[in-house]
């Protein structure tokens, strides 16, 4: 990492909150991360509504993105804002009621590793399975163990529509599989017993009823 760029970027972020728009173009070239950050600051930072289980819209199968244009880049930025605010480590467009194949992930603890996956394709690279406790912004307050392949290859497009190819392990491997499931209308609670899933559904329905009744 170039320390000059880090310094400059922090200045831009703080300054931007108060106005000087010219600086945007200057730092636009510094790194992919700051292209994201500057755009996020430039917008009104809307936080999108996250659908919650058992909302049937979470069962929608998302369509491939036809072109990575400004509309998709805005969606990506809004999804990062929403995920960071939650806070969460992964969010699929399905969860914000946009049924296109877009995922954002950041498993760092300082928002320093934003990852964008558009039209992701997953390929398990091993028969070895890993069990990890998962949660989901669409199933707030519930965490359960899920078993998945421990290493996967993902091919996708980035925020600029450029294809890339990455092998993921550990938390990132779990996260990309969890998020790709969302694009196919699947939730981590689908891996649990009917009994556990029904208990979670009933508890969330009760919370939603209480929220609806003020
Ligand atoms: C998916 O999940 C994931 O219940 C991302 O009250 C989770 O960001 C992949 C969250 C774990 C691998 C391991 C959940 C926030 C965030 C909640 C999330 C909550 C607040 C979940
Ligand atoms: Co989720």
């Amino acid at each position: 990492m170039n320390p000059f760029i880090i310094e400059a970027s922090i200045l831009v972020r703080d300054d931007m909150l108060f106005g000087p728009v010219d600086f945007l173009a200057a730092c636009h070239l510094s790194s992919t991360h700051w292209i994201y950050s500057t755009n996020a600051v430039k917008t009104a930072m809307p936080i999108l509504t996250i659908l919650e289980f058992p909302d049937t819209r979470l069962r929608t199968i998302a369509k491939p993105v036809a072109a990575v244009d400004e509309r998709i880049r805005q969606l990506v930025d809004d999804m990062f804002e929403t995920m960071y605010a939650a806070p969460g480590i992964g969010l699929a467009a399905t969860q914000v009621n946009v049924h296109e194949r877009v995922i954002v992930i950041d498993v760092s603890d300082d928002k320093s590793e934003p990852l964008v996956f558009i039209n992701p394709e997953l390929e398990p690279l091993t028969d070895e399975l890993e069990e990890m406790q998962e949660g989901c912004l669409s199933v707030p307050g519930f965490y359960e163990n899920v078993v998945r392949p421990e290493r996967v290859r993902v091919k996708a497009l980035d925020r600029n529509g450029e294809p890339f190819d990455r092998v993921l392990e550990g938390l990132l491997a779990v996260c990309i599989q969890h998020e790709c499931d969302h694009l196919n209308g699947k939730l981590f609670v689908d891996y649990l017993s009917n009994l556990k899933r029904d208990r979670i559904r009933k508890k969330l329905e009760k919370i939603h009823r209480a929220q609806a009744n003020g």
Side-chain angles (χ1 to χ4, degrees):
M1 271 286 233
N2 182 332
F4 171 74
I5 291 174
I6 293 168
E7 284 297 309
S9 302
I10 291 164
L11 278 175
V12 170
R13 273 176 79 89
D14 289 342
D15 276 13
M16 278 310 299
L17 298 172
F18 305 100
V21 176
D22 295 0
F23 225 23
L24 264 180
C27 74
H28 208 253
L29 299 169
S30 62
S31 77
T32 332
H33 177 215
W34 289 106
I35 290 169
Y36 154 64
S37 296
T38 51
N39 282 348
V41 173
K42 189 172 60 176
T43 62
M45 292 199 242
I47 306 295
L48 306 173
T49 303
I50 299 176
L51 303 178
E52 293 186 5
F53 177 69
D55 194 313
T56 57
R57 291 171 291 183
L58 288 167
R59 300 312 187 174
T60 313
I61 297 182
K63 293 192 173 70
V65 168
V68 182
D69 54 15
E70 274 310 311
R71 182 182 65 88
I72 295 297
R73 274 187 277 277
Q74 187 65 60
L75 171 64
V76 164
D77 294 346
D78 293 348
M79 285 172 62
F80 271 118
E81 287 297 329
T82 306
M83 180 184 78
Y84 286 137
I89 59 168
L91 186 69
T94 308
Q95 294 176 273
V96 294
N97 202 28
V98 175
H99 302 289
E100 298 185 68
R101 304 186 83 81
V102 176
I103 289 168
V104 299
I105 291 177
D106 191 337
V107 299
S108 75
D109 34 46
D110 57 355
K111 308 183 182 182
S112 63
E113 291 156 33
L115 300 174
V116 177
F117 300 89
I118 297 168
N119 297 343
E121 289 176 45
L122 269 186
E123 178 197 348
L125 291 180
T126 168
D127 291 335
E128 283 168 67
L129 302 174
E130 183 174 37
E131 185 173 58
M132 201 181 280
Q133 193 173 59
E134 296 188 21
C136 180
L137 289 170
S138 295
V139 192
F142 296 89
Y143 305 86
E144 296 287 346
N145 284 338
V146 176
V147 172
R148 302 181 186 269
E150 73 170 18
R151 201 150 47 89
V152 296
R153 169 172 286 122
V154 58
K155 294 180 185 176
L157 305 178
D158 67 14
R159 197 181 177 285
N160 299 313
E162 292 292 332
F164 67 97
D165 184 338
R166 265 188 81 163
V167 174
L168 301 178
E169 296 178 314
L171 180 56
L172 270 178
V174 175
C175 204
I176 192 68
Q177 292 178 78
H178 174 117
E179 302 310 332
C180 284
D181 274 353
H182 277 300
L183 301 181
N184 295 326
K186 186 159 183 163
L187 298 168
F188 85 93
V189 295
D190 299 346
Y191 295 97
L192 309 178
S193 67
N194 292 340
L195 181 65
K196 274 192 177 177
R197 188 171 52 258
D198 269 9
R199 280 191 187 141
I200 294 171
R201 178 177 57 76
K202 285 174 183 149
K203 286 180 185 169
L204 279 174
E205 281 173 341
K206 187 173 172 182
I207 290 166
H208 295 156
R209 270 199 305 277
Q211 285 169 350
N213 297 327

